[in-house]
């Protein structure tokens, strides 16, 4: 099912939308909400998991309650964008816990990162000691978020299915 939205029928899409909102829902409740019995619902769920459409289940933790309320978005420019350089950067960036997201970008810079720390002081250390020392980094620009207006882990169009 790799990148095949069309292979998902309306029941699969409903399952995904419901689980995106409540990953702890029981099979019985999930079946009731999608309009199937428990056995086919469970079979569909197992297929979605085995096909890699559902990659796992986890708790959503409020970082603000843990004192992690400093968010910065960082543009990263590399001095080499050949495949080997990108692979080295990708492997190294995956090891930095303060970096929540990293995206390869088509534009005036190469990567966009979302970095979460407790304070500006802590962020400056992460930038100097971790991000700036990543392989092939030639420069960075930082934008500090003042407020999160929308942070949603839902799957966009799936939110309109259930």
């Amino acid at each position: 099912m790799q990148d095949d939205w069309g292979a998902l029928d309306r029941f699969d899409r409903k399952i995904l939308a419901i689980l995106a909102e409540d990953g702890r829902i029981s099979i019985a409740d999930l079946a009731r909400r999608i309009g199937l019995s428990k056995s086919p619902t469970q079979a569909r769920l197992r297929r979605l998991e085995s096909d890699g459409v559902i990659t796992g289940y986890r708790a959503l933790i409020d970082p603000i309650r843990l004192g992690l309320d400093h968010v910065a978005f960082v543009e990263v420019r590399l001095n080499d964008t050949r495949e080997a350089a990108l692979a080295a950067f990708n492997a190294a960036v995956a090891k930095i816990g303060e970096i929540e997201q990293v995206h390869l970008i088509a534009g005036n810079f190469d990567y966009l990162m979302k970095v979460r720390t407790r304070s500006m002081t802590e962020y400056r250390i992460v930038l100097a000691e971790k991000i700036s020392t990543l392989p092939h980094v030639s420069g960075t620009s930082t934008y500090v978020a003042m407020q999160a207006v929308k942070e949603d882990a839902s799957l966009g169009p799936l939110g309109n299915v259930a």
Side-chain angles (χ1 to χ4, degrees):
M1 266 198 216
Q2 182 177 354
D3 199 27
D4 192 358
W5 175 254
L8 300 175
D9 67 14
R10 67 184 180 94
F11 294 110
D12 292 338
R13 292 177 185 164
K14 279 187 172 185
I15 288 170
L16 295 174
I18 292 166
L19 288 175
E21 293 297 318
D22 181 4
R24 296 180 62 171
I25 191 169
S26 70
I27 293 295
D29 287 342
L30 181 60
R32 182 185 50 74
R33 288 195 47 198
I34 69 168
L36 292 176
S37 64
K38 285 173 38 177
S39 293
T41 300
Q42 188 146 35
R44 285 172 174 274
L45 185 57
R46 285 189 184 127
R47 180 180 43 77
L48 290 167
E49 292 169 345
S50 67
D51 287 350
V53 175
I54 297 174
T55 59
Y57 302 88
R58 60 184 173 185
L60 297 175
I61 299 165
D62 183 351
I64 307 303
R65 304 229 5 168
L66 299 176
L68 296 166
D69 58 353
H70 184 273
V71 174
F73 292 90
V74 184
E75 295 176 355
V76 178
R77 289 171 301 286
L78 303 183
N79 57 23
D80 184 353
T81 56
R82 292 175 289 180
E83 286 302 315
L86 296 178
F89 178 88
N90 294 347
V93 80
K95 298 175 184 172
I96 301 174
E98 293 88 353
I99 300 174
E100 287 188 354
Q101 297 179 7
V102 181
H103 303 273
L104 181 61
I105 300 293
N108 294 329
F109 54 95
D110 300 302
Y111 285 90
L112 181 64
M113 298 179 178
K114 180 181 179 185
V115 180
R116 185 178 295 276
T117 58
R118 294 183 188 285
S119 66
M120 177 60 82
T121 301
E122 187 175 310
Y123 169 73
R124 286 178 47 227
I125 293 168
V126 170
L127 179 65
E129 303 298 325
K130 296 180 181 182
I131 296 171
S132 294
T133 62
L134 288 167
H136 308 288
V137 170
S138 65
T140 63
S141 295
T142 298
Y143 303 89
V144 176
M146 297 189 318
Q147 176 184 7
V149 176
K150 179 181 181 190
E151 282 191 327
D152 190 354
S154 73
L155 300 175
L158 286 178
N160 299 324
V161 176

